[in-house]
Amino acid sequence: MNKMKPLKLLDIARKTGVVTIRYPDKPPLITSEFRGRIVIDASKCIGCGACVNICPSNALTIKETYDKRIINYFIGRCIYCGSCADVCPVKAITITKDFELATENIKDLNNKVVHYKVVCCRCGSERHAPENMIKFVIRRVPVAETYAHMATNCKKRKFVEGMLHGRGMLYVEAK
Ligand code: SF4
Ligand code: SF4
């Protein structure tokens, strides 16, 4: 192993000078490429979960309940890679330069986007996708409007109905 002699080390240190900064008395260098915590714009987010799938550290998670879809960002696990912002189809994620995130309350490190699911237009009871997701689908594929407001089971029934009507057959829903 190449051992450096102490005197040589001192000589290098003397020539290099002080390279550390007196943080927090002096502000650190924040470059244009610096990545801090992310912020999700709830008005743009469609609740697709693409950011959750790509997140390598599980800082982003998704939770489904009967009437809600919740995207949670736990800053404590974030490694500031920026992958979530890259994949978001609606550019709802901004990478900020915020890095001073220490807190005494762990709840401060959780940020939630809550989407309320829309009631199916056909059965009037089952809840399915968030409103923003439905609007996004219709914007992308206008012909899908009839199906976009329906829950999955009703979509299937409507499809079968259409097929049978097309063949002159009567559709009777199973009890
Ligand atoms: S920046 Fe990376 S680690 Fe942080 S939430 Fe986004 S994908 Fe996950
Ligand atoms: S932030 Fe973007 S990628 Fe993540 S759920 Fe919302 S729309 Fe999808």
Side-chain angles (χ1 to χ4, degrees):
M1 210 170 105
N2 184 17
K3 280 191 184 171
M4 200 176 275
K5 290 189 177 137
L7 276 179
K8 182 146 190 201
L9 202 60
L10 279 174
D11 192 40
I12 292 170
R14 186 183 56 78
K15 283 182 190 152
T16 309
V18 177
V19 292
T20 51
I21 56 157
R22 293 181 66 81
Y23 176 81
D25 298 336
K26 282 191 179 172
L29 173 68
I30 304 287
T31 62
S32 57
E33 297 84 14
F34 183 87
R35 293 190 296 256
R37 76 178 168 114
I38 61 154
V39 171
I40 304 175
D41 183 339
S43 66
K44 286 188 187 169
C45 177
I46 58 171
C48 66
C51 56
V52 176
N53 289 339
I54 200 82
C55 181
S57 61
N58 290 338
L60 287 161
T61 50
I62 192 164
K63 187 177 166 193
E64 296 278 350
T65 66
Y66 166 68
D67 61 345
K68 291 187 214 94
R69 180 175 296 171
I70 303 159
I71 308 288
N72 190 57
Y73 171 47
F74 178 53
I75 301 170
R77 292 192 72 100
C78 183
I79 57 169
Y80 314 109
C81 65
S83 302
C84 50
D86 288 343
V87 298
C88 179
V90 289
K91 306 280 173 237
I93 298 178
T94 306
I95 302 170
T96 73
K97 300 204 182 298
D98 301 347
F99 70 95
E100 291 169 313
L101 305 164
T103 174
E104 290 179 353
N105 187 353
I106 199 162
K107 286 183 182 161
D108 296 342
L109 299 178
N110 278 301
N111 286 308
K112 290 187 194 315
V113 174
V114 180
H115 290 284
Y116 289 89
K117 295 180 189 172
V118 173
V119 174
C120 172
C121 68
R122 184 175 152 121
C123 66
S125 58
E126 205 177 324
R127 289 178 181 269
H128 56 120
E131 178 87 51
N132 280 0
M133 168 72 88
I134 294 171
K135 285 183 185 159
F136 176 78
V137 170
I138 295 170
R139 265 202 316 274
R140 288 286 174 100
V141 193
V143 290
E145 185 162 7
T146 321
Y147 288 91
H149 293 94
M150 285 181 201
T152 311
N153 283 335
C154 286
K155 277 186 189 125
K156 286 181 194 162
R157 286 189 197 110
K158 171 102 180 143
F159 181 73
V160 172
E161 235 177 54
M163 296 276 287
L164 295 180
H165 274 304
R167 293 178 187 182
M169 293 161 76
L170 183 67
Y171 175 78
V172 181
E173 201 165 308
K175 296 265 185 221

